[in-house]
């Protein structure tokens, strides 16, 4: 375990501790990376991972679309960083594919 974050932090605090290191680079270099949110029911794990939910027309919920991203959870921030890195690298071989998965 690299760190434990108290319940008093906000989304930016969590991202600074988790996302502002080289986890995404390590994942792209072939290492397995896991971020685990563990605590009792109702403690904010889903909010920390995804951000707040806002109503949509289809199923009643969708990810936060906060334009300044201050309420984004770890997954939207990590995916944004991932695609930024991939756009900068652009030196992967033709036929290379990336598989991204998450579970709740």
């Amino acid at each position: 375990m690299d760190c434990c974050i108290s319940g008093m932090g906000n989304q930016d605090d969590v991202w600074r501790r988790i996302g502002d290191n080289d986890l995404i680079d390590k994942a792209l270099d072939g290492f397995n990376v896991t971020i685990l949110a563990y605590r009792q029911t109702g403690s904010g794990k889903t909010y920390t991972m995804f951000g707040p939910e806002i109503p949509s027309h289809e199923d009643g919920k969708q990810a936060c679309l906060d334009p300044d991203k201050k309420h984004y959870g770890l997954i939207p921030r990590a995916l944004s960083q991932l695609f930024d890195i991939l756009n900068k690298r652009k030196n992967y071989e033709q036929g290379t594919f990336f598989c991204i998965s998450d579970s709740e």
Side-chain angles (χ1 to χ4, degrees):
M1 178 180 349
D2 292 326
C3 69
C4 183
I5 301 168
S6 78
M8 300 306 292
N10 61 33
Q11 297 290 66
D12 286 330
D13 294 335
V14 174
W15 180 248
R16 276 193 291 278
R17 290 290 304 273
I18 303 291
D20 279 354
N21 57 39
D22 59 352
L23 288 178
I24 303 299
D25 285 315
K26 286 181 181 177
L28 289 171
D29 291 338
F31 292 94
N32 292 323
V33 174
T34 301
I35 299 172
L36 176 70
Y38 178 79
R39 196 132 185 217
Q40 72 268 17
T41 300
S43 62
K45 299 177 298 294
T46 300
Y47 178 83
T48 299
M49 297 303 285
F50 294 98
E53 297 173 341
I54 58 175
S56 77
H57 297 295
E58 292 119 26
D59 63 359
K61 297 178 182 178
Q62 68 182 27
C64 177
L65 299 175
D66 184 13
D68 65 3
K69 300 181 183 180
K70 75 177 191 174
H71 296 292
Y72 272 19
L74 291 176
I75 292 172
R77 290 173 191 240
L79 289 174
S80 177
Q81 183 178 7
L82 170 70
F83 290 116
D84 287 346
I85 291 169
L86 288 175
N87 278 331
K88 288 177 187 171
R89 285 189 179 187
K90 289 189 181 177
N91 63 349
Y92 39 86
E93 297 177 23
Q94 184 176 2
T96 300
F97 70 95
F98 297 93
C99 178
I100 300 170
S101 66
D102 72 83
S103 62
E104 181 179 350

